[in-house]
Amino acid sequence: MLKILTKLAWGLVLPIALLATGPAMAEIGEHQLKFASANNKGHPQVMGMEKFAELLKEKSGGKIEVKLFPGGVLGGDVQTVSALQGGVIEMTVLNAGILASNVKPFGAVDLPFLFNSGEEADKVMDGPFGSGLMKLLPDTGLVGLAYWELGFRNLTNNRHAVTKLEDIKGLKIRTIQSPIPIELFNSLGANAVPLPYTELYTALETGTVDGQENPAANIINAKFFEVQKYMTVTRHQYNPQIVLISKKFWDGLNDEEKALFQSAATEARDYQRKVSREMDVKAIEEIKKTGMEVSELSPEETQKLRDAVKPLIDKFSPQIGAETVAQLMKELDTVRGK
């Protein structure tokens, strides 16, 4: 130590002394970014965004500020993805299956009656299958940070109660802009109408479509009960959501900043899923209180729906990728202890 101090006194070994302390920690820079989504404030999706912004601000010592743009004010999901790729918007969260138009294997998560519970979906999406899908995104200008939850989708309409498969026939049903949901409702006898979520309320109000399908929390949050009379608890599809960040923005972050974003997205994920599942239970009760007629399908009718849409797996497997579908089914078997 004396030898080092003596040399320092002569100004000879300053670089060596600095190296002896190890490399300096990367600096956290000042960043402001836009985080967009389709759902309105009060929805579990937006509550997850708020938690993420809060955590990132805290972890960065106030240096990273996330400005939230819920309610589709910056455009629908497909439009927002394009904005991320161009670096116009930095972040969004949306149904993972929508990315099938960018990366075909993401279509696997849109397959009907895939998951039996949210917890089952968590294990698959947080495991090798979900991380494998994320690795395919950077080539398209996107980076995935975490999987959140939208939940199980249910059917609503304004024409009549749906208590059996045949009741769906002829209904004009709005679906998300993704091939599998469109084919799903066409195969049930409905006329599927793909529309951005931001246009859905007006489409229901004007009668452009008879109905739609979304989790119960969305039906409450978007006030679809004002323009729909009947709901059927079909749980025909589960939507994992994915938190995306623009690769252009991501590539400008240093490793320490990237670690903060990842940590905040993961912590917010656990909070968001918990809130989503709690709200799903409450939302169905709230829907009943609005005066909407809520129907439950019998096990026999649910099986009829399952049988009607089974061919979709064979039809879309070549497009999704047979290996991707096989891996998904294998992981589901593992999760279920088969």
Side-chain angles (χ1 to χ4, degrees):
M1 180 61 75
L2 181 60
K3 188 176 181 181
I4 292 173
L5 289 172
T6 303
K7 288 184 178 180
L8 277 172
W10 288 92
L12 297 175
V13 294
L14 187 56
I16 296 173
L18 286 173
L19 284 172
T21 64
M25 289 288 282
E27 287 289 324
I28 301 295
E30 300 272 353
H31 296 283
Q32 275 196 353
L33 58 141
K34 298 179 287 295
F35 192 171
S37 73
N39 283 297
N40 299 314
K41 189 173 174 65
H43 187 277
Q45 181 194 60
V46 182
M47 293 171 75
M49 294 166 66
E50 290 166 346
K51 175 61 76 172
F52 171 81
E54 174 192 314
L55 287 166
L56 194 53
K57 187 172 184 178
E58 179 186 310
K59 290 172 183 288
S60 66
K63 289 188 173 183
I64 303 177
E65 184 182 354
V66 182
K67 294 192 172 183
L68 305 183
F69 294 87
V73 293
L74 298 185
D77 288 329
V78 175
Q79 188 180 348
T80 305
V81 169
S82 295
L84 254 73
Q85 291 169 314
V88 179
I89 297 172
E90 289 75 28
M91 290 187 71
T92 192
V93 55
L94 45 70
N95 291 342
I98 291 173
L99 294 176
S101 58
N102 303 84
V103 178
K104 288 182 179 178
F106 269 94
V109 300
D110 269 348
L111 291 172
F113 296 106
L114 188 63
F115 299 111
N116 293 326
S117 68
E119 291 75 18
E120 189 176 272
D122 295 348
K123 290 175 183 175
V124 172
M125 300 311 296
D126 295 344
F129 180 78
S131 61
L133 290 180
M134 280 190 183
K135 287 174 185 175
L136 302 173
L137 287 172
D139 286 345
T140 70
L142 304 167
V143 173
L145 294 182
Y147 291 103
W148 291 0
E149 173 186 276
L150 188 69
F152 285 96
R153 302 178 81 88
N154 300 298
L155 179 65
T156 72
N157 85 95
N158 216 20
R159 294 246 309 261
H160 53 245
V162 172
T163 58
K164 57 186 185 298
L165 174 60
E166 291 76 16
D167 294 335
I168 299 173
K169 189 174 181 180
L171 292 176
K172 288 183 290 182
I173 302 296
R174 176 269 176 182
T175 69
I176 62 174
Q177 296 161 286
S178 189
I180 293 176
I182 295 168
E183 184 71 21
L184 191 163
F185 275 91
N186 285 337
S187 68
L188 294 175
N191 297 315
V193 182
L195 286 173
Y197 189 72
T198 47
E199 298 175 18
L200 178 51
Y201 186 96
T202 302
L204 293 169
E205 188 176 34
T206 58
T208 303
V209 292
D210 299 315
Q212 61 86 49
E213 38 91 47
N214 258 296
N218 287 58
I219 295 165
I220 287 292
N221 182 259
K223 299 184 178 179
F224 293 147
F225 55 82
E226 294 178 345
V227 286
Q228 295 278 270
K229 293 178 183 175
Y230 307 98
M231 171 180 167
T232 307
V233 182
T234 50
R235 293 170 67 88
H236 54 271
Q237 192 182 42
Y238 173 90
N239 286 142
Q241 296 215 308
I242 186 168
V243 179
L244 296 172
I245 191 164
S246 166
K247 188 173 184 294
K248 285 189 176 182
F249 177 75
W250 183 254
D251 288 346
L253 300 175
N254 61 44
D255 288 346
E256 190 177 354
E257 290 166 340
K258 287 177 181 177
L260 293 187
F261 273 82
Q262 185 62 70
S263 174
T266 303
E267 281 187 48
R269 174 199 71 191
D270 297 339
Y271 165 81
Q272 192 273 341
R273 286 173 176 171
K274 181 175 181 290
V275 168
S276 177
R277 284 159 200 173
E278 288 172 351
M279 287 186 72
D280 184 63
V281 175
K282 293 175 184 174
I284 292 178
E285 293 308 311
E286 286 183 47
I287 289 166
K288 289 176 181 176
K289 289 176 185 175
T290 68
M292 278 187 78
E293 184 180 316
V294 179
S295 303
E296 298 269 353
L297 290 179
S298 68
E300 292 77 19
E301 287 301 326
T302 299
Q303 190 57 49
K304 283 184 186 177
L305 261 66
R306 286 176 176 267
D307 291 341
V309 299
K310 260 182 190 173
L312 266 69
I313 297 174
D314 291 333
K315 179 174 180 176
F316 282 94
S317 285
Q319 296 177 34
I320 296 167
E323 287 185 10
T324 300
V325 175
Q327 184 194 358
L328 174 56
M329 297 307 173
K330 185 179 178 182
E331 289 199 30
L332 272 171
D333 284 345
T334 301
V335 167
R336 292 167 182 165
K338 291 184 179 178

